[in-house]
Amino acid sequence: MEGFLRFLVAKAILLALASSFVSCYDPSPLQDFCVAVDDASGVFVNGKFCKDPKYVKAEDFFTSGLNIAGNTINRVGSNVTNVNVDKIPGLNTLGVSLVRIDFAPGGQNPPHTHPRATEILVVVEGTLLVGFVTSNQDNNRLFSKVLYPGDVFVFPIGMIHFQVNVGRTNAVAFAGLGSQNPGTITIADAVFGSKPSIMPEILAKAFQLDVNVVKYLEARFSSNYDRHY
Ligand code: MN
């Protein structure tokens, strides 16, 4: 009888361990959503299909052109060059990516958030004022700093953050992100430029603005506004 009890306890421990392993292996989403299908037409598994390893070559892990400045002639005066899994297929499932950000004097990378990645940024040229805002539970505190060449700053996953060129010259920064496909939600684009538009009365109350101001913003952001990443 004692042996049987011991067997039951051991079985319970194994079951508990097994279920914790299952939750450990539940992958973070690598796309904005993944609508389940129960037939063979489902195509996206963990971001992308995998290439047969015997056909993999060095070029699958390579890209170039990060020495070239992006075009900052746009409404916000900045440009983001993405190096993610769409540029380097070999990044699939590896959990990292890279960006180059160019800023005209006075230009900014407007408030945005990456739903799937922490960002670590290094300034290589110019002067940037950067910052992020913590969650509601943390009272929406702003952590902000002026950065010079060689300075590094971290934007934790999910936090709304921004960078502004406060110098007299162009500025350049590179940033690593903890996802092969970090995603970007630019706050103004998402809120005022959604398609279709969110009802102006809703945003007027949410942002405590006159409804005509909201209509103006929605017209501006839903027109051929140069989208930002
Ligand atoms: Mn960012």
Side-chain angles (χ1 to χ4, degrees):
M1 194 62 197
E2 199 193 332
F4 182 65
L5 269 177
R6 209 175 286 156
F7 166 73
L8 277 182
V9 168
K11 195 173 174 183
I13 290 169
L14 276 174
L15 273 173
L17 275 174
S19 61
S20 73
F21 282 140
V22 167
S23 62
C24 283
Y25 281 104
D26 194 3
S28 300
L30 289 171
Q31 51 281 309
D32 284 352
F33 40 71
C34 183
V35 180
V37 288
D38 53 11
D39 63 34
S41 68
V43 290
F44 292 103
V45 180
N46 199 18
K48 308 274 185 188
F49 274 133
C50 301
K51 190 176 183 178
D52 187 333
K54 65 175 176 278
Y55 300 121
V56 168
K57 49 197 188 310
E59 279 65 33
D60 290 328
F61 303 95
F62 171 81
T63 192
S64 64
L66 268 275
N67 57 322
I68 298 164
N71 181 3
T72 58
I73 301 171
N74 53 54
R75 294 190 203 186
V76 290
S78 76
N79 186 282
V80 178
T81 306
N82 282 295
V83 182
N84 56 25
V85 69
D86 295 328
K87 281 257 185 75
I88 303 184
L91 278 180
N92 195 34
T93 75
L94 297 184
V96 292
S97 56
L98 181 72
V99 294
R100 170 185 171 130
I101 318 174
D102 288 280
F103 304 82
Q108 65 166 264
N109 188 8
H112 64 278
T113 171
H114 305 290
R116 293 177 288 279
T118 289
E119 173 176 346
I120 182 165
L121 176 140
V122 58
V123 176
V124 298
E125 188 183 322
T127 311
L128 291 181
L129 168 67
V130 306
F132 71 85
V133 179
T134 65
S135 61
N136 299 2
Q137 287 77 359
D138 191 62
N139 223 18
N140 301 130
R141 286 188 295 159
L142 171 66
F143 290 91
S144 183
K145 203 160 172 58
V146 175
L147 306 181
Y148 303 95
D151 290 354
V152 174
F153 201 80
V154 171
F155 307 100
I157 184 169
M159 304 288 106
I160 292 177
H161 60 283
F162 59 86
Q163 299 108 22
V164 184
N165 181 359
V166 292
R168 291 163 186 265
T169 62
N170 289 339
V172 183
F174 288 85
L177 293 117
S179 167
Q180 68 182 38
N181 186 21
T184 300
I185 299 166
T186 302
I187 308 307
D189 290 352
V191 171
F192 295 108
S194 71
K195 296 173 187 63
S197 301
I198 298 172
M199 271 176 63
E201 293 73 16
I202 294 172
L203 296 181
K205 182 163 278 191
F207 286 85
Q208 297 289 288
L209 292 169
D210 185 279
V211 76
N212 288 316
V213 174
V214 173
K215 286 176 179 168
Y216 167 82
L217 289 169
E218 288 193 331
R220 203 162 164 76
F221 281 90
S222 64
S223 65
N224 286 330
Y225 177 75
D226 24 41
R227 290 258 157 186
H228 223 260
Y229 301 96

